[in-house]
Amino acid sequence: MEEEILVPNETGLYQLDGWVVVLLFVLVYGGTMVVSARISKKKENADGYMTAGNKVGFGISAASMTATWIWAASMYASASSGYTYGISGPIHYGLWGALMILFIYPFGKRIRAVAPKAHTLGEILNARHGRASELMLAGSNIVGSVISLTANFIAGGALVSLLSPFSFGQGVLAIAVGVLLYTLWSGFRASVLTDFVQVVAMLGAVIIIIPAVFFAAGGSNMFVQGAGNLTPQQSDFFSSDAFLNQGAPFIAAVLAYAIGNQTIAQRLFAVREDLIKKTFVTATVGYGATVIGVGLIGVMALYLGITPFGGDVNNLIPQMASTYLGPILLSLFFIMILGALSSTADSDLSALSAIMMADVYGKNVAKKANPKTMLLVGRITMIVATAAALIFASQQMNILDLLVFVGALWGALVFPVIASFFWGKVTNKAFTTSVLVALAFFIPVRFSWFSMDGATGILFDILSVAGVGVILGLMAFGFFGLKIALITGAFAALISAPFIIGFLHEYSVLTGSLVAYAVSTVVCYLMSFRNKQNFDFELIKARVGDYDPQDEDLDNMTATGGK
């Protein structure tokens, strides 16, 4: 039977036979289609399509938040980090990502208090500032979600091309169609409920697969025999190379993901308001344990001296699975990756549809939004976004680079967005100007468009010091308030300055991220602090609400653990 399921290809790697792969696709996407069909309604509700009625319970919410944050790209990127930076690589990827989920909830509680019936962050910014800031955030989320969707399709294509007789392109197409079909009709409602099934499958598979690969690859002996394959930096748990190239940029990136990402905001708006803390704390633990665990596959590959197939680190996880897992576990691994990428891909589609429905059509095109038209806009958006991601996925870009770039790009928005929910003096002009100026600094630095020699490098190092202070200050602000935040930010800047000034400009990814935070913060503050008018946040509740009658169909279905 094993010979019928596992077939060696021309590279010597074992693949699942074609009929097995087709069966697994039918199992995964057929199952999600059944779930989606059971919650479908003949007359869909626009608000339910975007946020499931704002009353999703703890069990479904925590599972959905975990599944959305654990995507195939994050698994692949964690393994890539382990393979590239050694034993501390998965920690720098998984730990900081987990902590950023934790940092969402204090800001999330404020956002929900200000706008309990919101569908998107941009919708709130429209009520707070006007069109410019809303469309700026919406535009960044469209770019980010399309890139995220692309990254998941790339991960799926790599999985299929290595573990089956089907090609990369065929794998990407099959996954895109499967995700689109079960998400298209019910939108976020389908996404959030299928996430529960997907996260159970993912966590169960990780618990079995990681130890199986470890023991099949030689157990603890691989660390003794393969130690010579590591550089001194890769074998150092406190590697400065890993921190400066992976850890620090990712701290900056994931904070931006947490604040500016519509897929996260949708779950924030969907969960019952009294369950926000409980949901995000649970998701923190689930994400960290899973992603760090999967990242260890990359570390094992490094010790074993394995070269990624085709020189592409995106192939590393399926390559290790093919080499060390038997047919049953390899099939389980296949389901795990399909579930991981699908749970985030459907979230991206739901996020994009909500942005086009609420931010573009609802607030900027229609004088009075028609719920039926909104649903049509949402579904067309999903189809167009899927087609665009299919085209971009054909380029097979490095997933880790995509993730860090998007996070850094959103760094320009973090302070203006947070300040807009807490500080009544921030104006629309201050918001838009600070973001545009920050992007004007970030992009040239990130892509090294000019020399950083001499005084120029020192200038950007000083801005980076300010960026460190801003990031740590914002983290402290969420939990401890303004006074502690100012003290934390000032101390962080002072302590980091001697270690940053003079050399950090050599790391363009990290410098670009820190500069984006610093510039947006300085410009936004200087343009706002003299403003004599204070915005009345109660106005937002009156300006942001439901488009349709309240959607009640998930109240009972999603109340798991919500009492």
Side-chain angles (χ1 to χ4, degrees):
M1 183 66 179
E2 182 169 324
E3 287 75 14
E4 296 176 6
I5 297 177
L6 287 183
V7 181
N9 63 9
E10 65 277 6
T11 67
L13 294 177
Y14 280 93
Q15 298 179 326
L16 294 168
D17 201 2
W19 68 268
V20 178
V21 173
V22 171
L23 184 63
L24 293 175
F25 266 98
V26 171
L27 177 65
V28 172
Y29 292 119
T32 49
M33 282 291 292
V34 169
V35 174
S36 183
R38 289 194 65 181
I39 64 166
S40 66
K41 301 191 298 182
K42 292 182 179 179
K43 185 178 180 181
E44 190 57 73
N45 179 294
D47 297 301
Y49 198 85
M50 289 187 280
T51 57
N54 308 106
K55 291 185 178 181
V56 180
F58 166 68
I60 299 294
S61 293
S64 183
M65 185 63 247
T66 305
T68 297
W69 206 251
I70 301 173
W71 40 329
S74 66
M75 290 184 174
Y76 281 43
S78 182
S80 297
S81 184
Y83 184 79
T84 304
Y85 300 113
I87 57 177
S88 65
I91 304 294
H92 281 304
Y93 190 95
L95 177 62
W96 306 126
L99 290 179
M100 287 309 108
I101 301 177
L102 189 65
F103 280 111
I104 297 170
Y105 93 77
F107 297 115
K109 290 176 68 176
R110 169 63 178 175
I111 293 170
R112 277 295 294 272
V114 167
K117 295 291 185 179
H119 308 87
T120 69
L121 282 174
E123 197 178 32
I124 307 175
L125 288 178
N126 180 291
R128 173 70 175 84
H129 294 306
R131 288 185 178 183
S133 56
E134 177 190 29
L135 292 177
M136 188 169 288
L137 184 60
S140 71
N141 264 289
I142 289 171
V143 172
S145 288
V146 170
I147 289 178
S148 171
L149 194 60
T150 300
N152 277 287
F153 287 171
I154 290 172
L159 175 77
V160 171
S161 64
L162 279 186
L163 297 189
S164 81
F166 301 112
S167 69
F168 175 88
Q170 290 171 328
V172 169
L173 181 61
I175 290 165
V177 171
V179 173
L180 180 62
L181 285 178
Y182 78 79
T183 311
L184 186 63
W185 184 256
S186 299
F188 179 78
R189 296 164 59 250
S191 173
V192 75
L193 285 181
T194 55
D195 279 349
F196 184 85
V197 178
Q198 289 160 343
V199 80
V200 170
M202 279 191 290
L203 295 179
V206 167
I207 291 171
I208 297 170
I209 287 170
I210 304 303
V213 172
F214 174 76
F215 288 113
S220 57
N221 286 334
M222 84 173 84
F223 299 121
V224 177
Q225 298 172 0
N229 294 323
L230 278 67
T231 66
Q233 281 288 321
Q234 289 173 329
S235 60
D236 183 3
F237 187 79
F238 300 100
S239 166
S240 60
D241 189 38
F243 179 74
L244 291 170
N245 285 294
Q246 171 65 63
F250 204 60
I251 293 172
V254 292
L255 178 59
Y257 266 101
I259 300 303
N261 191 335
Q262 172 60 19
T263 63
I264 307 302
Q266 254 183 315
R267 280 145 185 82
L268 171 65
F269 296 136
V271 65
R272 260 177 41 193
E273 196 167 347
D274 60 314
L275 299 174
I276 291 174
K277 179 179 179 179
K278 189 177 180 181
T279 294
F280 285 95
V281 170
T282 303
T284 297
V285 177
Y287 172 89
T290 303
V291 173
I292 292 172
V294 173
L296 294 177
I297 291 179
V299 177
M300 285 187 267
L302 179 62
Y303 272 93
L304 292 166
I306 290 175
T307 301
F309 179 71
D312 186 354
V313 290
N314 295 335
N315 292 330
L316 198 57
I317 283 186
Q319 182 178 343
M320 288 285 287
S322 172
T323 304
Y324 294 106
L325 296 179
I328 295 176
L329 289 181
L330 192 59
S331 298
L332 185 62
F333 169 82
F334 198 92
I335 291 173
M336 177 186 77
I337 300 298
L338 276 188
L341 67 89
S342 299
S343 66
T344 305
D346 63 35
S347 299
D348 288 320
L349 291 178
S350 298
L352 287 164
S353 65
I355 290 168
M356 296 302 293
M357 290 168 72
D359 293 331
V360 178
Y361 170 77
K363 295 296 183 183
N364 291 285
V365 174
K367 292 183 179 179
K368 180 176 175 59
N370 183 324
K372 291 183 178 179
T373 304
M374 292 184 79
L375 286 168
L376 179 62
V377 169
R379 288 170 179 146
I380 291 174
T381 298
M382 287 191 180
I383 295 170
V384 173
T386 300
L390 280 171
I391 294 171
F392 295 141
S394 65
Q395 305 301 312
Q396 300 187 44
M397 295 170 283
N398 183 282
I399 291 173
L400 190 57
D401 289 345
L402 285 176
L403 300 184
V404 173
F405 173 75
V406 173
L409 186 68
W410 276 333
L413 286 155
V414 174
F415 180 84
V417 168
I418 292 176
S420 295
F421 289 111
F422 290 88
W423 192 23
K425 290 180 178 289
V426 180
T427 64
N428 185 45
K429 186 176 181 180
F431 185 103
T432 54
T433 302
S434 62
V435 173
L436 290 174
V437 173
L439 290 177
F441 274 77
F442 163 72
I443 293 174
V445 172
R446 171 63 182 82
F447 294 104
S448 303
W449 286 359
F450 52 81
S451 172
M452 283 284 193
D453 293 337
T456 304
I458 298 299
L459 172 62
F460 281 99
D461 286 345
I462 294 172
L463 286 174
S464 296
V465 169
V468 170
V470 169
I471 291 172
L472 294 180
L474 288 173
M475 291 178 179
F477 174 70
F479 289 100
F480 307 112
L482 182 59
K483 184 176 180 180
I484 299 298
L486 292 173
I487 295 172
T488 301
F491 268 101
L494 288 172
I495 293 171
S496 64
F499 303 98
I500 287 177
I501 296 175
F503 94 100
L504 194 70
H505 56 268
E506 297 175 8
Y507 297 85
S508 60
V509 175
L510 178 54
T511 299
S513 300
L514 295 175
V515 166
Y517 275 94
V519 171
S520 63
T521 300
V522 171
V523 174
C524 187
Y525 174 78
L526 291 178
M527 292 184 67
S528 302
F529 81 101
R530 289 186 179 179
N531 182 18
K532 295 182 180 180
Q533 294 183 336
N534 252 323
F535 180 77
D536 181 4
F537 287 98
E538 290 298 316
L539 293 173
I540 294 179
K541 293 180 181 178
R543 295 172 181 175
V544 178
D546 290 334
Y547 292 95
D548 249 337
Q550 183 66 36
D551 185 22
E552 301 289 348
D553 75 314
L554 286 186
D555 287 359
N556 295 324
M557 188 182 302
T558 61
T560 307
K563 293 182 180 180

